[in-house]
Protein backbone atom coordinates (compact mmCIF):
# COMPACT_ATOMS: atom_id res chain seq x y z
CA UNK A 1 0.00 0.00 0.00
CA UNK A 2 1.46 3.36 -1.01
CA UNK A 3 1.26 6.12 1.55
CA UNK A 4 -1.75 8.24 0.51
CA UNK A 5 0.04 11.34 1.73
CA UNK A 6 2.74 10.78 -0.86
CA UNK A 7 0.27 11.02 -3.69
CA UNK A 8 -2.25 13.51 -2.37
CA UNK A 9 -2.22 17.00 -3.79
CA UNK A 10 -3.72 20.36 -2.99
CA UNK A 11 -6.64 20.44 -0.58
CA UNK A 12 -6.67 16.70 -0.18
CA UNK A 13 -3.06 16.82 0.97
CA UNK A 14 -3.74 19.70 3.34
CA UNK A 15 -6.62 17.77 4.84
CA UNK A 16 -4.50 14.64 5.29
CA UNK A 17 -1.70 16.68 6.84
CA UNK A 18 -4.13 18.37 9.22
CA UNK A 19 -5.59 15.01 10.18
CA UNK A 20 -2.11 13.64 10.73
CA UNK A 21 -1.52 16.60 13.04
CA UNK A 22 -4.61 15.68 15.03
CA UNK A 23 -7.08 18.13 13.57
CA UNK A 24 -10.16 16.10 12.65
CA UNK A 25 -12.00 19.01 11.14
CA UNK A 26 -9.36 20.89 9.15
CA UNK A 27 -11.89 22.63 6.96
CA UNK A 28 -13.92 23.77 9.92
CA UNK A 29 -17.18 22.88 8.24
CA UNK A 30 -19.39 24.78 10.58
CA UNK A 31 -22.20 26.96 9.46
CA UNK A 32 -21.96 30.65 10.01
CA UNK A 33 -24.66 32.90 11.24
CA UNK A 34 -24.79 35.93 9.08
CA UNK A 35 -24.03 39.41 10.24
CA UNK A 36 -25.84 42.21 8.49
CA UNK A 37 -24.17 40.79 5.42
CA UNK A 38 -23.90 43.80 3.18
CA UNK A 39 -20.89 44.10 0.90
CA UNK A 40 -19.47 46.75 3.23
CA UNK A 41 -20.03 44.51 6.26
CA UNK A 42 -19.76 40.91 5.09
CA UNK A 43 -19.67 37.87 7.32
CA UNK A 44 -15.93 37.29 7.72
CA UNK A 45 -14.70 33.71 7.68
CA UNK A 46 -11.17 33.09 8.93
CA UNK A 47 -9.30 30.48 6.93
CA UNK A 48 -5.83 29.00 6.62
CA UNK A 49 -6.54 28.17 3.03
CA UNK A 50 -6.84 30.21 -0.11
CA UNK A 51 -10.37 28.98 -0.55
CA UNK A 52 -12.90 26.97 1.42
CA UNK A 53 -16.52 25.98 1.59
CA UNK A 54 -18.91 27.87 3.82
CA UNK A 55 -22.54 27.21 4.58
CA UNK A 56 -25.21 29.87 4.75
CA UNK A 57 -28.56 29.40 6.42
CA UNK A 58 -30.41 31.71 4.10
CA UNK A 59 -33.59 31.85 6.16
CA UNK A 60 -33.70 31.76 9.94
CA UNK A 61 -36.01 28.74 9.88
CA UNK A 62 -34.48 27.14 6.82
CA UNK A 63 -33.77 23.43 6.98
CA UNK A 64 -31.31 23.54 4.13
CA UNK A 65 -27.81 24.93 4.09
CA UNK A 66 -26.53 26.72 1.05
CA UNK A 67 -22.90 25.69 0.56
CA UNK A 68 -20.56 27.76 -1.55
CA UNK A 69 -16.87 28.13 -2.26
CA UNK A 70 -15.17 31.25 -0.97
CA UNK A 71 -11.82 32.49 -2.22
CA UNK A 72 -9.65 35.07 -0.51
CA UNK A 73 -9.94 38.52 -2.00
CA UNK A 74 -13.30 37.72 -3.59
CA UNK A 75 -16.26 38.50 -1.35
CA UNK A 76 -19.16 36.31 -2.44
CA UNK A 77 -22.83 37.00 -2.41
CA UNK A 78 -25.11 34.16 -1.43
CA UNK A 79 -28.39 33.57 -3.20
CA UNK A 80 -30.11 35.24 -0.27
CA UNK A 81 -28.16 38.43 -0.88
CA UNK A 82 -25.73 38.25 2.02
CA UNK A 83 -22.01 38.65 1.54
CA UNK A 84 -19.26 36.42 2.89
CA UNK A 85 -15.56 37.18 2.89
CA UNK A 86 -12.56 34.96 3.47
CA UNK A 87 -9.70 36.35 5.53
CA UNK A 88 -6.41 35.03 6.86
CA UNK A 89 -6.76 33.08 10.06
CA UNK A 90 -4.11 33.22 12.72
CA UNK A 91 -1.57 30.41 12.40
CA UNK A 92 -2.25 27.34 14.46
CA UNK A 93 -0.30 27.32 17.69
ZN1 LIG B 1 -27.67 32.59 2.04
Amino acid sequence: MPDPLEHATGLERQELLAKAAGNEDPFDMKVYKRTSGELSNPTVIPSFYQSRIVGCICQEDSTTINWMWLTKGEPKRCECGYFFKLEDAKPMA
Side-chain angles (χ1 to χ4, degrees):
M1 272 294 287
D3 182 352
L5 207 49
E6 289 279 306
H7 302 279
T9 55
L11 286 174
E12 189 191 3
R13 182 175 172 81
Q14 289 180 340
E15 184 173 19
L16 286 169
L17 285 170
K19 277 189 173 150
N23 185 348
E24 279 300 314
D25 187 20
F27 293 111
D28 195 17
M29 297 289 279
K30 65 187 166 203
V31 177
Y32 284 82
K33 274 265 181 187
R34 301 171 315 202
T35 58
S36 70
E38 292 149 37
L39 182 54
S40 59
N41 184 24
T43 299
V44 174
I45 317 288
S47 176
F48 299 106
Y49 305 113
Q50 195 54 39
S51 60
R52 60 161 289 173
I53 288 173
V54 298
C56 174
I57 303 171
C58 295
Q59 308 291 333
E60 196 71 45
D61 56 355
S62 179
T63 52
T64 57
I65 297 166
N66 196 9
W67 297 102
M68 69 198 119
W69 273 99
L70 260 186
T71 303
K72 275 176 191 165
E74 297 173 23
K76 198 156 196 172
R77 184 171 173 270
C78 182
E79 288 169 13
C80 62
Y82 285 80
F83 282 89
F84 291 85
K85 188 182 172 200
L86 206 61
E87 288 201 342
D88 288 324
K90 291 192 173 65
M92 277 184 243

